Amino acid sequence: MPLDSTARALPHAHTAIPWERRRRRTIGVADALRYALRSSARRGHLKLVFVADDYGMIVSGSRRDLDLEPIAAVAPLVARGRAKARVHHRGASLEMTVRTVRLDGERLHVAAVGGDPVARRRELATAVCAAQRIMG
């Protein structure tokens, strides 16, 4: 039987796979989620992207140099429409957009802070999909 000339050759062990979209691979859920959130923040030129639980406790975030606890604490309130969706950081007032997802019966809030509203909504949707994929 003749070989199909359209079949792609297998890569060698020392060459990178050209269609691999991720630059970093990890087996840990925490690292994978942090990398995904960081990537969304970078692409959208956002100040911060994070995931908080329904009690306002931080699950993961794109930055480690910010104190995320106070911001995460209001995410459930913003998601329910009970708080103003703004974060004050270094004299600037930044908008925050929050989406709520359910994973394994638990309510999680994925939030994006700063940046252009269109980019923020786009990257928030990407972060929600990443959180569902990684944590689901």
Side-chain angles (χ1 to χ4, degrees):
M1 179 190 249
L3 292 175
D4 183 5
S5 62
T6 62
R8 194 179 329 179
L10 293 174
H12 294 284
H14 63 277
T15 60
I17 299 173
W19 56 87
E20 174 58 45
R21 65 178 172 76
R22 291 182 272 182
R23 296 177 194 261
R24 293 185 187 173
R25 282 216 169 257
T26 180
I27 58 171
V29 172
D31 286 337
L33 184 56
R34 189 174 69 247
Y35 291 155
L37 298 177
R38 189 181 301 162
S39 180
S40 285
R42 187 177 53 248
R43 273 192 315 270
H45 303 286
L46 307 175
K47 182 60 89 178
L48 173 64
V49 180
F50 67 91
V51 178
D53 67 11
D54 206 31
Y55 299 102
M57 303 297 291
I58 190 74
V59 173
S60 185
S62 63
R63 295 181 62 164
R64 291 184 173 181
D65 61 333
L66 292 176
D67 185 16
L68 300 179
E69 280 79 20
I71 301 169
V74 299
L77 300 174
V78 171
R80 292 181 186 105
R82 296 183 183 160
K84 193 173 179 182
R86 289 205 173 271
V87 173
H88 297 283
H89 179 67
R90 295 186 181 174
S93 180
L94 306 170
E95 289 186 32
M96 178 168 69
T97 306
V98 181
R99 283 201 37 207
T100 303
V101 296
R102 280 199 170 286
L103 289 175
D104 292 331
E106 186 173 344
R107 193 177 316 177
L108 296 175
H109 307 284
V110 184
V113 178
D116 174 72
V118 173
R120 187 173 55 251
R121 283 191 301 272
R122 180 190 67 231
E123 293 306 326
L124 181 60
T126 302
V128 165
C129 289
Q132 289 174 323
R133 182 184 72 247
I134 293 167
M135 297 175 68

